[in-house]
């Protein structure tokens, strides 16, 4: 079993990077590895508990027909399949600035020092960059 | 463990956060005991220009009380013991001359980057 630490900065729905990260986390967990996620800046919004799906008036679909999971739903699923091998820290200062303290069960509050500690014990570290084409 | 952090996306969140979030984060890493250096490339090389002043910013009459001072923030990172590199071609293309830069920064050419990366255990491109 290897340990992977991932740093995320993008808020949900802003780019494809969150989806990419979710796919990497999912694959690593399914292969039996341990994953640490450091959510910094807007990424603390990924796990906000009050996210809610909506109907799609363009397609004429209701909420059930739309069947569109929010990012917190995916995060919940990742915690569920992880069997304790997923650790997720939301940067506390980022949380406070964004009023993003109400999150799902699983993530915990932390800071840059926690990321450094994870880096020291990880086999690989992946920073998802902020560059936009 | 020796880490090189690369900052390329410049002036992100400098109004809301009053810092460059990644320069700030790496200062926190250094304080946490990580041996971390910084490489500025693309528009982020402008962080090295002395005397940047965003103090006049006000929104709806509300001034930004503590505007970003990125040149000072990078200098403080150097004072903490980190090395700060910049890509010399990027600075030249943007017209940022070295005589306008803060002290003790190190130019590196694009062709020298692989050699620089090889000096580090990990390279993080933020």
């Amino acid at each position: 079993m290897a340990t992977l630490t991932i740093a995320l900065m993008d808020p949900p729905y802003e780019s494809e990077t969150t989806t990419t990260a979710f796919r990497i986390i999912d694959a690593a967990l399914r292969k039996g590895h341990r994953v640490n996620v450091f959510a910094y800046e807007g990424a603390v919004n990924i796990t906000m508990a009050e996210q809610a799906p909506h109907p799609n008036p363009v397609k004429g679909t209701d909420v059930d027909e739309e069947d569109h999971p929010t990012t917190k739903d995916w995060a919940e699923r990742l915690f569920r399949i992880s069997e304790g091998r997923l650790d997720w820290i939301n940067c506390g200062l980022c949380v406070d600035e964004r009023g993003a303290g109400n999150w799902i069960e699983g993530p915990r509050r932390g800071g840059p020092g926690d990321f450094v500690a994870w880096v020291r014990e990880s086999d690989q570290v992946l920073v998802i960059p902020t560059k936009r084409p | 463990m020796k880490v090189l952090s690369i900052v390329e996306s410049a002036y992100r969140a400098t109004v809301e956060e009053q810092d460059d979030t990644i320069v700030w984060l790496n200062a926190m890493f250094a304080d946490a005991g990580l041996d971390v250096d910084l490489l500025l490339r693309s528009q982020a090389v402008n962080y090295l220009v002395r005397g940047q002043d965003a103090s006049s910013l006000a929104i709806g009459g509300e001034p930004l009380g503590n505007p970003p001072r990125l040149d000072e923030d990078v200098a403080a990172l150097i004072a903490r013991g980190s090395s700060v590199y910049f890509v010399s071609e990027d600075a030249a293309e943007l017209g940022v001359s070295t005589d306008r830069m803060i002290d003790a920064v190190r130019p590196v050419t694009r062709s020298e980057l692989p050699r620089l990366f090889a000096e580090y255990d990990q390279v993080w491109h933020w």
Side-chain angles (χ1 to χ4, degrees), chain A residues 22 46-47 71-79 86 88 104:
Chain A
F22 275 148
I46 290 171
T47 52
T71 57
K72 60 98 171 169
D73 295 328
W74 274 331
E76 282 177 334
R77 289 299 186 103
L78 290 172
F79 274 104
L86 174 61
W88 185 303
I104 60 171

Side-chain angles (χ1 to χ4, degrees), chain A residues 61-81:
Chain A
T61 50
D62 62 22
V63 171
D64 291 336
E65 291 168 327
E66 193 64 14
D67 192 24
H68 179 69
T70 60
T71 57
K72 60 98 171 169
D73 295 328
W74 274 331
E76 282 177 334
R77 289 299 186 103
L78 290 172
F79 274 104
R80 201 175 305 165
I81 69 166

Side-chain angles (χ1 to χ4, degrees), chain A residues 65-132:
Chain A
E65 291 168 327
E66 193 64 14
D67 192 24
H68 179 69
T70 60
T71 57
K72 60 98 171 169
D73 295 328
W74 274 331
E76 282 177 334
R77 289 299 186 103
L78 290 172
F79 274 104
R80 201 175 305 165
I81 69 166
S82 75
E83 298 176 329
R85 287 175 287 109
L86 174 61
D87 199 357
W88 185 303
I89 283 178
N90 285 328
C91 170
L93 300 181
C94 308
V95 165
D96 293 344
E97 282 184 321
R98 291 163 176 80
N102 183 19
W103 58 66
I104 60 171
E105 188 174 341
R108 57 192 176 97
R109 182 186 177 97
D114 297 301
F115 179 76
V116 172
W118 274 346
V119 166
R120 294 191 195 284
E121 65 187 31
S122 294
D123 297 285
Q124 293 292 341
V125 177
L126 178 62
V127 172
I128 307 283
T130 57
K131 183 183 177 183
R132 295 288 174 265

Side-chain angles (χ1 to χ4, degrees), chain A residues 29-52:
Chain A
L29 291 173
R30 290 182 188 279
K31 287 179 180 290
H33 300 305
R34 181 176 297 279
V35 180
N36 301 319
V37 176
F38 181 68
Y40 185 59
E41 299 178 17
V44 299
N45 294 113
I46 290 171
T47 52
M48 287 181 76
E50 293 179 16
Q51 293 176 15

Side-chain angles (χ1 to χ4, degrees), chain B residues 79-96:
Chain B
R80 279 180 162 87
S82 295
S83 295
V84 173
Y85 301 90
F86 68 95
V87 177
S88 51
E89 291 98 332
D90 292 349
E93 288 171 6
L94 292 168
V96 179

